[in-house]
């Protein structure tokens, strides 16, 4: 009704528009690309967490920061609390 859509659906909307040759516009800044994996590793080193962050945890952290909003699927005992802690500290 207000010509807006949930941010999490943007990929699906773009795909839909491209498949039908529709034109679309969206606000810039929906996805942050300047936050690099190296930046995340330096950040993790700077806060010195109690447990060492694993590669997949840092990658999940980077994905969440870049997307500004994300759904992360993480199995039991994979360190979800550390990922959340990193996001909150950032």
């Amino acid at each position: 009704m207000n010509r807006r859509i949930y941010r999490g659906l943007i990929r699906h909307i773009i795909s839909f528009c491209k498949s039908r040759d529709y034109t679309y516009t969206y606000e810039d800044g929906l996805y942050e690309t300047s936050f690099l994996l190296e930046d995340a590793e330096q950040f993790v080193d700077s806060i010195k967490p109690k447990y060492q962050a694993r590669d997949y945890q840092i990658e999940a952290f980077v994905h969440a920061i870049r997307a500004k909003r994300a759904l992360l699927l993480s199995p039991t005992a994979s360190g979800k609390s550390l990922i959340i802690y990193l996001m909150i500290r950032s």
Side-chain angles (χ1 to χ4, degrees), residues 8-24:
L9 297 175
I10 190 72
R11 276 185 282 144
H12 302 290
I13 300 299
I14 291 172
S15 175
F16 176 85
C17 291
K18 285 182 179 180
S19 70
R20 289 165 177 78
D21 293 326
Y22 292 162
T23 59
Y24 59 91

Side-chain angles (χ1 to χ4, degrees), residues 5-58:
I5 193 87
Y6 293 111
R7 176 181 292 202
L9 297 175
I10 190 72
R11 276 185 282 144
H12 302 290
I13 300 299
I14 291 172
S15 175
F16 176 85
C17 291
K18 285 182 179 180
S19 70
R20 289 165 177 78
D21 293 326
Y22 292 162
T23 59
Y24 59 91
T25 60
Y26 60 92
E27 296 177 16
D28 288 337
L30 290 178
Y31 194 77
E32 177 66 45
T33 58
S34 63
F35 189 69
L36 303 174
L37 188 60
E38 294 81 24
D39 298 332
E41 290 169 347
Q42 289 176 357
F43 174 74
V44 171
D45 290 341
S46 72
I47 62 172
K48 297 178 176 56
K50 185 175 180 179
Y51 300 101
Q52 182 178 1
R54 298 179 187 230
D55 293 342
Y56 62 87
Q57 292 169 321
I58 294 175

Side-chain angles (χ1 to χ4, degrees), residues 11 22 24 26 29 53 62 65 69 72 74 78 88:
R11 276 185 282 144
Y22 292 162
Y24 59 91
Y26 60 92
V62 169
I65 296 300
R69 182 176 175 180
L72 301 173
S74 188
S78 63
I88 291 170

